[in-house]
Amino acid sequence: MSNYKANSTNSTDFNLETKGISVGKLKYGKWYSFKAEVVLADNSHYQLEPKGVWDSVIELQKDGKTLLEFEMGWKGIVIKTLFKGVEKKYLLKLTGILSSKFVLIDTDEKMLLAVDADFKWTSFNFDFQIETTSEFEEFENKELLLLTTLHCINYYITFISSVS
């Protein structure tokens, strides 16, 4: 198990770190945008691009190649990874109706990580505490999946805020 934290450095950027070491950043061009950039610690850049009707599908791309995509479903956000041509599916969901805790589960309903979202009223920003399982820590592209999970949570919060 590992612990990560993602702090909003302003209303558009998040820094993900573990044990005081930066893992990567999630950067939005503007507030409440579905389009974002992921920058890993090795300075590799990825784009999160909305696709489809009403931007209902978001794709993680590098050099025009889709590595991951997600969309809102009835049970939560369905994440489909396409790393190295192997398709895997995950579900990101709230743990309760009035909860601010999200969990990522695999197709066997095994929890891989839990995220606590903490809204800071003074700055109107979110900070996130993430706890991962040892199985998740074995994932080859765990940093990309972590940063995309943060984007999914921001997407969910934006989506829910716009319909309420």
Side-chain angles (χ1 to χ4, degrees):
M1 292 176 74
S2 288
N3 293 303
Y4 296 82
K5 66 179 180 176
N7 295 329
S8 178
T9 55
N10 55 39
S11 61
T12 59
D13 296 343
F14 292 85
N15 185 44
L16 178 67
E17 61 181 45
T18 184
K19 299 175 187 167
I21 300 169
S22 180
V23 173
K25 296 180 187 304
L26 177 62
K27 302 170 119 187
Y28 294 93
K30 59 184 178 180
W31 197 43
Y32 279 105
S33 175
F34 294 147
K35 189 175 185 175
E37 180 181 31
V38 170
V39 181
L40 296 182
D42 67 0
N43 207 31
S44 55
H45 293 251
Y46 301 81
Q47 291 71 44
L48 284 156
E49 298 280 342
K51 303 286 182 191
V53 179
W54 299 298
D55 297 337
S56 59
V57 175
I58 310 287
E59 294 181 345
L60 176 72
Q61 300 177 347
K62 176 144 178 88
D63 300 327
K65 182 180 178 186
T66 301
L67 304 173
L68 177 153
E69 64 183 36
F70 69 85
E71 65 183 314
M72 191 77 75
W74 287 106
K75 294 181 179 182
I77 296 178
V78 178
I79 301 171
K80 179 172 67 171
T81 62
L82 305 164
F83 300 124
K84 293 188 176 181
V86 177
E87 181 179 310
K88 293 186 179 180
K89 290 188 178 180
Y90 306 94
L91 180 66
L92 179 69
K93 64 181 186 172
L94 271 172
T95 58
I97 294 173
L98 299 176
S99 176
S100 62
K101 185 174 183 176
F102 294 81
V103 292
L104 182 70
I105 59 175
D106 63 14
T107 53
D108 296 324
E109 297 193 19
K110 187 174 184 183
M111 188 183 78
L112 300 170
L113 63 84
V115 181
D116 276 318
D118 182 24
F119 184 70
K120 304 292 184 191
W121 283 100
T122 55
S123 60
F124 289 102
N125 290 330
F126 277 95
D127 288 340
F128 301 95
Q129 298 295 323
I130 305 165
E131 186 175 326
T132 63
T133 63
S134 54
E135 182 179 342
F136 182 86
E137 286 301 309
E138 298 296 319
F139 285 15
E140 186 174 341
N141 293 296
K142 67 182 178 188
E143 295 86 0
L144 283 175
L145 193 50
L146 278 168
L147 288 159
T148 301
T149 299
L150 291 178
H151 185 64
C152 289
I153 293 169
N154 288 330
Y155 174 82
Y156 178 85
I157 291 167
T158 301
F159 182 79
I160 294 303
S161 298
S162 68
V163 296
S164 50

